Amino acid sequence: MTKPVHTTNCFNTFIQVAEDCPARTGEEPPLRAGKPTVACLQYGMIAKAPYKYTSDDVIFATSAPGRELAVKATKTEKQAAREAFFSRGQACMRASSLGKRFGWGVHADSKGRIAIYPIESKRYKALARDPRLTQVRAIRSKRA
């Protein structure tokens, strides 16, 4: 019996910043105690290669199990670790600090590949008004 595989991928979707996001412009997430946070890792991965990775790619690569894989890990080992990771549901990009705290909207294209846009940009505003996209918001940090 195979375990079900969960996914965080979405398609033709725009994740707007949370209603209670304190940022008014897109901010690069800072290091904490000199080390990159998950938000730093996600930002770096997506900003350097827009529309290259899916949400699953980013969530796994920036998770503890994804970061623990040695560079020399085989393709089979990486695939097994990824399958184990997604055998349980995982938080999606709506839960990322990029949209909750740092002012970045996340656009997923028709193939599920993602890019980020700062809240003050023309592209963010255009994506937020696009009726062809499913519009959702990042999860609020505080209860209403």
Side-chain angles (χ1 to χ4, degrees):
M1 185 163 89
T2 60
K3 292 181 180 180
V5 178
H6 299 271
T7 184
T8 65
N9 291 340
C10 52
F11 305 89
N12 295 318
T13 301
F14 186 61
I15 303 171
Q16 298 179 36
V17 299
E19 291 96 340
D20 63 347
C21 177
R24 296 293 158 237
T25 61
E27 302 170 2
E28 185 173 343
L31 300 174
R32 184 180 303 140
K35 296 187 178 184
T37 62
V38 170
C40 289
L41 296 170
Q42 289 175 345
Y43 173 84
M45 190 172 176
I46 302 167
K48 288 177 188 164
Y51 298 112
K52 180 177 181 181
Y53 302 108
T54 65
S55 176
D56 281 356
D57 296 335
V58 173
I59 298 294
F60 179 70
T62 60
S63 69
R67 292 191 314 263
E68 288 170 4
L69 283 175
V71 176
K72 294 180 181 177
T74 67
K75 197 171 192 176
T76 305
E77 290 170 329
K78 290 177 183 178
Q79 186 60 33
R82 187 175 169 123
E83 285 174 12
F85 181 75
F86 285 111
S87 69
R88 294 181 313 279
Q90 300 295 329
C92 67
M93 290 303 294
R94 288 186 61 218
S96 170
S97 292
L98 294 177
K100 290 174 68 168
R101 162 69 188 88
F102 296 107
W104 296 92
V106 180
H107 176 239
D109 69 10
S110 62
K111 295 181 180 174
R113 299 169 306 194
I114 60 175
I116 55 176
Y117 295 95
I119 191 172
E120 76 277 10
S121 70
K122 288 181 182 179
R123 183 72 176 136
Y124 178 99
K125 290 172 179 59
L127 289 166
R129 288 190 308 263
D130 190 337
R132 296 169 298 177
L133 296 175
T134 300
Q135 299 287 333
V136 295
R137 285 215 175 249
I139 298 169
R140 296 173 59 93
S141 294
K142 298 177 180 77
R143 290 186 179 174

